[in-house]
Amino acid sequence: MVINGDFTLGRVTLPTRWERADPRFERVDGDERMLRLATGFRWTEGPVYVPAGRYLFWTDIPNDRTYRWDEAADVVSVFRSPADYANGKTLDRQGRVITCEQGPRRVTRVEHDGSTTVLADRWRGQRLDSPNDVVVRRDDSIWFTDPSYGITSDYEGYLAAPDIDGCHLYCIAPDGNCEAVRTDFDQPNGLAFSLDDSSLYVVDSGRNHIRRFDVDPDGSLRGGETLCGCSEGHFDGIRLDDEGRIWAAAGDGVHCFHPDGTLLGKLLVPEIVTNLTFGGPERNLLCVTAATSVYLIMLNVTGAPGT
Ligand code: MG
């Protein structure tokens, strides 16, 4: 094991604690032990797994560093410092990393040559608040949330008064135009499309629930009713598995929901979970950012493609 950074590796395996709430959670769970890959961070977020390199990236937001776990070499190292107070990340369909940056208050993409393209930093001429999480639809449009968490103090960004009235859900069209698509959130946060793109799930962490929208083929939204609430702590990042179940970061672990909103079960984690992604070559390695640590656990299910 090679370490490069001033965090503590603190690698340890822990017994996995599953909590079943519904018979349909049978065989959805996974290993009896999970790995705490590294610890000693302030607040980890933004996990994304890059299959081409077998890398997991995440950011310690208050310490303003992005880390990388090289799965093949089993090395954890600092990848970027400072890191523009990066938060949520995803891959586009060309395998490029897209990042929400709370410092410069923008959404960016790293190109294959290593250069950075700014995808959005304003709406109607006004600066975004602090983009939090992002997902790419199969038509290559890029959807992100813009709560105020990165500008309410200097802890996760830079203290500033918001330019925009309200915290919105935005879509960057394939032609680059950025528009607010729903403006009725308190603090929009994690988001994910259903496997067939017909539904969009969006966390409102201010109201502590997940909303479900119907998505028309042209990308317009209808509905937006509350799908489910959070029974412990607050919802943050969400991802789907390849059967459409919703895996949501919460206060006591990762909560797994049926697409109809029923809580199926929980993976209990000893810290507040902020976000998650499905990694590994087969997308069955659940990678969890949780407050001061990053946890890995092999599941019996795999993540949805493109998550
Ligand atoms: Mg978030």
Side-chain angles (χ1 to χ4, degrees):
M1 170 56 57
V2 181
I3 308 167
N4 173 15
D6 57 1
F7 60 96
T8 308
L9 198 64
R11 177 177 286 207
V12 62
T13 57
L14 305 164
T16 307
R17 294 164 58 219
W18 296 97
E19 197 173 282
R20 289 171 183 79
D22 187 285
R24 290 173 288 180
F25 201 54
E26 208 63 45
R27 294 187 299 279
V28 172
D29 55 9
D31 271 353
E32 294 180 358
R33 301 187 72 80
M34 65 179 180
L35 176 68
R36 189 179 69 187
L37 177 70
T39 192
F41 308 102
R42 279 206 162 88
W43 191 254
T44 55
E45 248 286 8
V48 64
Y49 183 87
V50 181
R54 295 183 64 187
Y55 302 135
L56 175 71
F57 294 103
W58 69 88
T59 301
D60 180 354
I61 303 178
N63 280 323
D64 201 16
R65 292 188 191 108
T66 293
Y67 292 86
R68 177 178 65 177
W69 174 52
D70 179 334
E71 183 183 14
D74 199 7
V75 174
V76 175
S77 57
V78 175
F79 179 72
R80 236 188 118 204
S81 177
D84 287 322
Y85 292 98
N87 196 327
K89 307 171 191 62
T90 195
L91 292 183
D92 70 8
R93 298 196 313 148
Q94 290 74 45
R96 297 170 293 190
V97 176
I98 295 175
T99 302
C100 294
E101 298 178 343
Q102 297 187 164
R105 298 163 63 176
R106 63 189 189 182
V107 179
T108 62
R109 178 177 65 217
V110 176
E111 309 296 345
H112 291 304
D113 66 3
S115 62
T116 297
T117 301
V118 178
L119 301 175
D121 60 357
R122 288 172 188 273
W123 177 56
R124 296 181 177 172
Q126 296 183 302
R127 293 189 73 189
L128 299 170
D129 280 6
S130 52
N132 187 289
D133 221 335
V134 59
V135 68
V136 177
R137 192 165 173 256
R138 284 153 193 82
D139 65 354
D140 292 325
S141 57
I142 298 163
W143 299 60
F144 68 96
T145 53
D146 188 44
S148 61
Y149 298 124
I151 58 171
T152 53
S153 76
D154 288 320
Y155 191 72
E156 288 195 6
Y158 303 103
L159 176 65
D163 288 2
I164 297 170
D165 183 18
C167 299
H168 307 323
L169 167 69
Y170 293 90
C171 174
I172 306 168
D175 67 4
N177 183 50
C178 176
E179 269 302 328
V181 287
R182 284 304 279 252
T183 59
D184 57 350
F185 288 91
D186 181 10
Q187 296 280 9
N189 203 318
L191 70 172
F193 284 97
S194 64
L195 304 182
D196 63 358
D197 270 353
S198 68
S199 298
L200 172 66
Y201 305 102
V202 186
V203 168
D204 189 330
S205 46
R207 301 188 181 118
N208 207 14
H209 59 208
I210 298 175
R211 298 173 66 185
R212 192 189 74 81
F213 297 89
D214 292 313
V215 187
D216 288 337
D218 68 357
S220 54
L221 301 182
R222 288 178 288 110
E225 72 281 2
T226 300
L227 181 72
C228 54
C230 187
S231 56
E232 187 66 43
H234 287 80
F235 285 141
D236 198 328
I238 57 172
R239 307 274 189 179
L240 265 57
D241 67 29
D242 66 358
E243 293 192 19
R245 288 174 288 249
I246 304 155
W247 296 70
D252 58 348
V254 180
H255 297 188
C256 178
F257 292 91
H258 188 274
D260 69 8
T262 306
L263 177 66
L264 299 177
K266 299 180 179 181
L267 166 65
L268 298 174
V269 175
E271 300 183 64
I272 295 170
V273 174
T274 60
N275 216 327
L276 59 136
T277 195
F278 291 90
E282 297 174 277
R283 296 194 308 274
N284 58 352
L285 182 68
L286 186 65
C287 309
V288 176
T289 52
T292 69
S293 307
V294 173
Y295 296 86
L296 306 176
I297 178 171
M298 195 76 82
L299 299 182
N300 293 328
V301 299
T302 59
T307 60

